[in-house]
Amino acid sequence: ILILTHVRPDGDTVGCAAALCTALREQGKEAYVLPNPELTAIFAPYLEGLLAPEGYQPKKVVSVDMAARGLFPENAQCYLEKVDLAFDHHPSQEFFAKETCLDAGRAACGELMYDVIRQWGSVSQAVALPLYFVYSNTSPATHAVAAALLETGIDFYPINRRHFRTRSLKRLKLEGMLTSGMEVLDEGKLAIVTLTLDMIAQVQA
């Protein structure tokens, strides 16, 4: 089984891919995540040991948190018409897969993935850890899932520190540039900042 993540991979697609791949392996299945050329260093650790070797030929292909054909990374283009199952939570889902598991009422695909995986049995810490950090637009159900993941005993503090308490030097430099060029209007009620590609290139972000 080969698992696909979307372009500009975020915590939801990476977390779902890592959790699903790990859960499948715990079920005795052969599963890998397709390497994503845009994967950043902050998310790379979650896929350590899970990436497919070069030339891997899967029997089944699964996508996670991918709503449209335009979200396929360059190296996943060959699977555009070969996705057997898509897990998603976006109302804009294009139904490109043979089968689709969609719940547009979920705050994140990770919520849906948790409910799927727990049908196979108890959720291990290895599966719970990458699912814990993926939520953005929360709901009561989101907190219920987060509580269940914490109950597995995962060490969640390093995740919170990495994603919400730590800033890279490049980001700090960018924020400094944005602040210095900020235009404040309406007696301080409105602030406009401009981020350009040249600014990003300048700090090599």
Side-chain angles (χ1 to χ4, degrees):
I1 301 167
L2 184 65
I3 303 166
L4 310 181
T5 55
H6 61 64
V7 294
R8 297 179 300 280
D10 57 11
D12 204 6
T13 194
V14 172
C16 287
L20 179 59
C21 188
T22 301
L24 287 169
R25 289 184 179 186
E26 290 176 354
Q27 294 292 316
K29 307 295 183 182
E30 180 181 283
Y32 290 100
V33 177
L34 182 70
N36 192 316
E38 296 182 339
L39 184 68
T40 61
I42 195 169
F43 294 126
Y46 298 102
L47 297 180
E48 187 173 342
L50 302 178
L51 297 177
E54 188 174 350
Y56 180 69
Q57 297 295 321
K59 292 183 178 179
K60 298 290 182 181
V61 179
V62 176
S63 67
V64 291
D65 196 41
M66 296 172 68
R69 292 174 176 83
L71 294 175
F72 279 61
E74 184 177 345
N75 65 333
Q77 294 291 315
C78 58
Y79 298 110
L80 271 171
E81 306 302 327
K82 299 178 181 179
V83 178
D84 296 285
L85 176 60
F87 290 104
D88 194 25
H89 72 115
H90 297 99
S92 57
Q93 171 59 229
E94 292 183 353
F95 299 98
F96 51 80
K98 294 176 184 175
E99 300 289 343
T100 302
C101 182
L102 172 69
D103 188 342
R106 301 299 182 114
C109 192
E111 282 189 43
L112 177 61
M113 192 57 57
Y114 168 77
D115 279 346
V116 170
I117 292 172
R118 70 175 180 155
Q119 300 300 315
W120 304 339
S122 59
V123 177
S124 69
Q125 289 187 12
V127 171
L129 193 67
L131 284 180
Y132 175 68
F133 70 91
V134 303
Y135 310 111
S136 54
N137 49 330
T138 57
S139 68
T142 308
H143 287 289
V145 171
L149 295 174
L150 290 177
E151 287 174 356
T152 67
I154 58 172
D155 184 8
F156 62 89
Y157 177 70
I159 289 178
N160 285 340
R161 183 178 60 200
R162 175 189 295 178
H163 294 283
F164 305 113
R165 300 283 185 266
T166 305
R167 284 186 172 88
S168 67
L169 180 58
K170 292 177 181 179
R171 177 169 176 165
L172 286 173
K173 288 180 178 178
L174 269 181
E175 289 177 350
M177 294 169 72
L178 291 172
T179 303
S180 65
M182 181 183 296
E183 182 181 3
V184 180
L185 306 171
D186 197 18
E187 298 180 348
K189 296 178 182 178
L190 175 66
I192 299 175
V193 295
T194 302
L195 174 63
T196 67
L197 293 176
D198 285 341
M199 293 165 66
I200 294 174
Q202 186 176 334
V203 300
Q204 298 180 331

